[in-house]
Amino acid sequence: MSETTRVTHLFDCADVGSALVAEGRRQKQPWRQVQGPWTRGGTKQAYYRFLAELALSYPRSELWHVHMGGRARWARGRFSRPYVLTLHGTDIKENYWQDEHRDALKLDVDLARHVFFTTPELREKAQLARPDAEYMPQAMNLEMLPTWNPSARPRVFFPSRWDAQKGGDGLLEAAADVVSAVGSEAEVVGIDWGNRAQEAAELGVKLLPKMDAKHYVAELAQAHVAVGQTAGILSVSELQAMSIGVPLIFSDPVDGYPRGDEMGAIVVPRHQAGAAVVEALGDPQTTSERVGGPAYVRRHHDPAGMISRLRTVYARVLEDSSAGAAE
């Protein structure tokens, strides 16, 4: 395997790309990242800056690593390089199968030299689209997370947005159960984000305004207990709570996660979320120590353990590309 491969990660999703690039550079890999113009306001100036960064990165890159299906056209055409694609969720769960997006998504997936997906429930659809697609858990930027600092008043935090992707009806049912169970003994909060946020507010959830990542994790660190989405997966918001040490109530996980004591969260059916919250609020510190969320995230989501695997994939892709060009 080559000592280094000059790779540029195109775009980001839930900070996975930036976490991998930062860790790769710590491990002496000459990796870089180009963010999309939407991260800088989506203006014409932002678009031109994006094109300039892409053009500058092109001669310095042997390989692109594209984050999110639907964006790989930038890895082809005038800036063509072999590319690896990571599917992050909506791209393969929904967009790939919709007529208006199908052609673009299929082209991205078919022409990728390697495909990853980031959560277990994506396996079936990802491997229908690309049988050799592989699971690689989301890389987490653990250094950005604050110390757990529970507020004076007991606080229950719903970290995910309020929409169908995060459980829809099931998430609202869990919220209603939690609000009823804790009564006036705790503050139940979430983020004003998602097309069903107002329904959560009507149930008694206090909605905080959307905020940047730094302020969001600071708010999350004040929680005594967190209640995850009911779609059965751990997204970055849930993993951040676990990493900080906030005990996480995790309802009905999909196949592919560890079971029992290896889970790092309190696994219950969604209709038992309220009772699980009340029990955890009795002694959050002891509950956190017993559940072991931070250790779980370090085992499965620390980018430090992913760089060697990525380097192997990158080296193989370049070797295959060189062999194909020579034929």
Side-chain angles (χ1 to χ4, degrees):
M1 181 173 69
S2 172
E3 283 298 311
T4 60
T5 303
R6 298 191 308 278
V7 179
T8 296
H9 287 242
L10 296 183
F11 317 118
D12 215 345
C13 187
D15 297 323
V16 169
S18 54
L20 291 172
V21 169
E23 180 58 37
R25 294 182 74 86
R26 276 192 287 269
Q27 297 189 28
K28 310 303 182 185
Q29 297 302 304
W31 298 355
R32 60 179 61 236
Q33 185 175 33
V34 175
Q35 294 281 16
W38 52 86
T39 65
R40 302 187 181 103
T43 63
K44 183 180 291 187
Q45 290 78 8
Y47 176 70
Y48 289 142
R49 179 177 174 182
F50 160 69
L51 287 181
E53 290 181 2
L54 195 63
L56 286 171
S57 296
Y58 175 65
R60 306 176 188 178
S61 304
E62 300 171 273
L63 178 74
W64 303 122
H65 186 147
V66 181
H67 290 273
M68 201 74 174
R71 299 173 176 174
R73 65 190 180 97
W74 298 106
R76 303 189 295 266
R78 63 191 289 194
F79 298 118
S80 180
R81 289 277 188 255
Y83 68 90
V84 171
L85 174 65
T86 293
L87 300 168
H88 284 269
T90 304
D91 48 1
I92 190 62
K93 280 197 289 191
E94 296 183 9
N95 294 350
Y96 185 92
W97 313 98
Q98 296 170 346
D99 290 343
E100 63 267 37
H101 301 298
R102 174 61 182 246
D103 290 346
L105 267 292
K106 190 174 189 309
L107 197 62
D108 283 5
V109 171
D110 289 352
L111 295 182
R113 302 303 179 94
H114 194 87
V115 175
F116 291 115
F117 56 93
T118 58
T119 51
E121 97 287 4
L122 300 178
R123 182 181 302 276
E124 181 178 2
K125 287 188 174 180
Q127 292 184 344
L128 276 174
R130 181 70 183 247
D132 60 348
E134 292 185 348
Y135 174 46
M136 177 177 279
Q138 305 106 307
M140 293 288 295
N141 182 353
L142 302 179
E143 293 187 354
M144 72 170 287
L145 299 175
T147 301
W148 189 23
N149 182 34
S151 60
R153 185 183 180 196
R155 171 184 259 203
V156 182
F157 203 108
F158 280 79
S160 279
R161 70 181 185 270
W162 306 94
D163 64 22
Q165 286 291 314
K166 304 301 183 180
D169 289 344
L171 184 55
L172 291 168
E173 290 167 11
D177 189 44
V178 169
V179 170
S180 175
V182 303
S184 61
E185 298 301 311
E187 178 184 48
V188 181
V189 302
I191 301 296
D192 190 0
W193 186 21
N195 61 8
R196 304 193 70 176
Q198 185 56 40
E199 293 176 72
E202 291 169 359
L203 292 171
V205 178
K206 176 184 175 182
L207 296 182
L208 305 176
K210 288 178 68 175
M211 59 196 78
D212 62 29
K214 180 180 178 181
H215 289 94
Y216 168 76
V217 293
E219 290 283 352
L220 182 57
Q222 296 180 56
H224 296 70
V225 183
V227 182
Q229 60 181 286
T230 58
I233 63 173
L234 296 173
S235 292
V236 168
S237 295
E238 284 83 13
L239 292 168
Q240 287 172 330
M242 294 168 68
S243 300
I244 291 168
V246 182
L248 178 78
I249 311 301
F250 183 30
S251 297
D252 306 324
V254 300
D255 290 339
Y257 286 113
R259 299 296 179 180
D261 293 342
E262 291 296 311
M263 187 59 248
I266 301 165
V267 178
V268 296
R270 68 188 63 169
H271 66 273
Q272 294 179 12
V277 164
V278 170
E279 183 177 356
L281 284 174
D283 190 345
Q285 185 65 49
T286 299
T287 302
S288 175
E289 293 169 0
R290 173 176 59 82
V291 172
Y296 173 88
V297 176
R298 286 194 299 272
R299 283 197 304 273
H300 298 282
H301 297 275
D302 188 339
M306 302 178 184
I307 303 307
S308 177
R309 181 180 176 190
L310 282 176
R311 290 178 58 209
T312 299
V313 169
Y314 295 159
R316 178 183 56 75
V317 165
L318 287 178
E319 183 178 348
D320 291 348
S321 298
S322 298
E327 290 177 357

